Amino acid sequence: MTLEHTAKALDMVRASLDAPKKEHPMTTTNKSTPGPWEAVQCIDFLGQHTETWCINVYDSLTRMPWEVAWLKPNPFIPDIESNARLIAAVPELLEALRAMPVAEVEK
């Protein structure tokens, strides 16, 4: 990195420190479907498991599942089960991120 590039980078950092503080994105309210979510293989109208994976949320009163997302087989994304499980973990991951302390940058 040249001296000129370093000076430009330092100017950018100084400008960002002097900019008005914005609310941290992790402090905004969550507008997604509340968890927990569960990844399961979808079942067709005959009661057979399909190759599609469903992300379910369960009604707090009836415990009936509500499908909030589907992942269909795709030749370009071979491991849909892992992706479905990762998506289902989003509410827990978000909660863990919100629990982490946010570092403040001092001038």
Side-chain angles (χ1 to χ4, degrees):
M1 183 179 268
T2 67
L3 186 57
E4 183 179 321
H5 287 107
T6 303
K8 284 183 181 179
L10 284 172
D11 287 341
M12 290 172 59
V13 169
R14 283 189 196 105
S16 70
L17 291 174
D18 292 337
K21 300 286 184 219
K22 294 181 181 176
E23 184 175 325
H24 191 278
M26 292 303 294
T27 61
T28 58
T29 56
N30 183 7
K31 293 186 171 82
S32 66
T33 304
W37 297 354
E38 181 182 35
V40 296
Q41 271 188 291
C42 296
I43 298 175
D44 65 16
F45 64 94
L46 296 174
Q48 303 294 316
H49 287 283
T50 67
E51 293 183 23
T52 301
W53 280 79
C54 298
I55 309 301
N56 289 344
V57 136
Y58 292 88
D59 184 284
S60 60
L61 297 176
T62 65
R63 295 296 302 152
M64 293 294 296
W66 291 86
E67 294 174 351
V68 294
W70 302 269
L71 281 82
K72 295 186 178 215
N74 182 328
F76 301 106
I77 306 171
D79 194 3
I80 62 169
E81 179 182 354
S82 294
N83 288 331
R85 294 187 187 287
L86 181 60
I87 292 168
V90 164
E92 293 171 39
L93 294 171
L94 182 59
E95 186 177 320
L97 282 172
R98 285 196 170 128
M100 294 176 69
V102 177
E104 291 293 325
V105 178
E106 294 185 23
K107 292 185 182 181

